[in-house]
Amino acid sequence: MKKLVSLLLTAGLSVSLLAGCGSQGSSNNDSANAEAGTETAGASVYRTLDEIKDSGKITIGVFSDKNPFGYVDENGDYQGYDVYFADRLAKDLGVDVEYVSTEPASRVEYLKTGKVDLILANFTVTDERAESVDFCLPYMKVALGVVSPDDALITSADELNGKTLIVAKGTTAEAYFSENYPEVNLLKFDQYADAYNALLDGRGDALSTDNTEVLAWALQNDGFSVGIDSIGNQDTIAPAVAQGNKTLLDWVNSEIESLAGEQFFHQDYKETLEPVYGTEVDIDSLVVEGGKLD
């Protein structure tokens, strides 16, 4: 596992993982029926920063089944990397937060239809997505990884030809393997929990998603390892708002920049990922402060 961690660092990932302890006044409502409006003739619907402040609540789309990034704990509370960040945003904005559970393929739709004001769900920045939403400053870098059983470890993408690779719909993993490895059979799921359960049940030979996620999952599940720690592009992860929502975009960007002064994301990492990854990882090689990439 030390070798995997070392390879992960070499890949140049920069993760700012945030511990998700629900803040005071936070609502853990899963409903997607936010007070953000409705879809109008295919155009994006959004609330401005002032409208969010006036309502006293911001709705944020997060994952509910993607530990340690966004998940619901045994008490029914949202926790994780993105959730901790979301709590801080709401606190500094002076409003409560309503969490809306989202699936990977629903993130763009939820912004365009006004079901959420902001997406904080491990959203990888791509040119295609940037045509539909506006991305804020990044808070981590990431590539794809592949996890598989130790007794049949996949160590190169070519080994997947003719085999079954499990992916979540609407992810960069789905897009990458569809385009670059057409001979790989993709088994697709809406929910990450279902995807990982399929791997545990032996319904696929391997699973691919962000390498930070598969590494964390492998550390928590005996008998599985990350045989491919970095494949595809080195991408960035960033919050996203509805296209044209400049007031909210500018405020989130300003917040990300200002948080660098207190090394906020370093502390987030220590509270969330360090218990998962251990102390062998050089935190400075993972954390991005102020949206600035080295």
Side-chain angles (χ1 to χ4, degrees):
M1 188 56 65
K2 288 184 178 180
K3 181 179 180 181
L4 286 177
V5 172
S6 176
L7 288 172
L8 185 62
L9 294 178
T10 302
L13 292 174
S14 88
V15 181
S16 55
L17 281 119
L18 300 94
C21 304
S23 61
Q24 281 191 330
S26 297
S27 169
N28 292 325
N29 186 354
D30 250 358
S31 172
N33 297 320
E35 300 173 359
T38 59
E39 187 174 11
T40 305
S44 293
V45 176
Y46 58 81
R47 300 191 301 165
T48 65
L49 184 66
D50 285 342
E51 288 172 333
I52 293 169
K53 288 180 178 180
D54 289 344
S55 75
K57 179 178 69 176
I58 185 170
T59 56
I60 300 180
V62 296
F63 288 128
S64 60
D65 62 348
K66 203 172 186 180
N67 188 351
F69 299 91
Y71 65 99
V72 176
D73 67 14
E74 63 276 8
N75 297 317
D77 296 323
Y78 279 93
Q79 303 285 359
Y81 166 34
D82 295 328
V83 175
Y84 189 98
F85 184 23
D87 279 341
R88 179 59 184 267
L89 291 175
K91 177 183 177 181
D92 289 351
L93 191 57
V95 298
D96 292 335
V97 57
E98 177 183 343
Y99 288 115
V100 177
S101 177
T102 184
E103 298 170 357
S106 300
R107 290 172 292 191
V108 171
E109 175 194 354
Y110 277 21
L111 286 174
K112 293 181 72 173
T113 60
K115 290 183 178 180
V116 298
D117 300 307
L118 180 73
I119 285 288
L120 272 177
N122 263 161
F123 209 11
T124 303
V125 179
T126 68
D127 291 340
E128 181 180 3
R129 289 169 177 168
E131 294 177 357
S132 301
V133 302
D134 286 343
F135 285 102
C136 305
L137 292 172
Y139 53 82
M140 64 183 286
K141 292 188 293 186
V142 70
L144 296 175
V146 177
V147 60
S148 52
D150 289 339
D151 57 5
L153 192 64
I154 300 295
T155 58
S156 73
D158 289 337
E159 295 176 15
L160 288 167
N161 287 337
K163 295 183 179 180
T164 298
L165 178 67
I166 301 167
V167 297
K169 295 178 182 177
T171 61
T172 51
E174 178 189 15
Y176 176 79
F177 281 97
S178 295
E179 179 179 351
N180 296 285
Y181 293 91
E183 295 183 13
V184 176
N185 302 313
L186 297 183
L187 179 58
K188 306 175 184 180
F189 292 91
D190 291 319
Q191 295 282 351
Y192 279 101
D194 293 335
Y196 281 116
N197 284 335
L199 182 62
L200 289 169
D201 295 341
R203 284 178 278 161
D205 298 288
L207 180 148
S208 180
T209 186
D210 292 349
N211 50 8
T212 51
E213 298 161 26
V214 292
L215 178 61
W217 188 85
L219 287 167
Q220 297 169 332
N221 290 270
D222 292 337
F224 294 87
S225 297
V226 177
I228 304 175
D229 62 90
S230 181
I231 189 172
N233 297 327
Q234 292 292 315
D235 295 314
T236 58
I237 301 293
V241 301
Q243 200 164 58
N245 194 353
K246 190 174 186 303
T247 57
L248 182 57
L249 178 75
D250 290 346
W251 185 85
V252 173
N253 282 341
S254 177
E255 180 78 352
I256 291 173
E257 290 174 337
S258 67
L259 288 174
E262 61 185 78
Q263 294 290 283
F264 174 78
F265 294 108
H266 278 70
Q267 184 60 38
D268 292 335
Y269 175 87
K270 290 179 180 179
E271 294 185 10
T272 41
L273 272 207
E274 192 165 273
V276 176
Y277 294 128
T279 58
E280 299 172 350
V281 177
D282 178 8
I283 188 171
D284 289 323
S285 68
L286 299 176
V287 171
V288 175
E289 296 285 0
K292 296 180 180 179
L293 303 174
D294 294 333

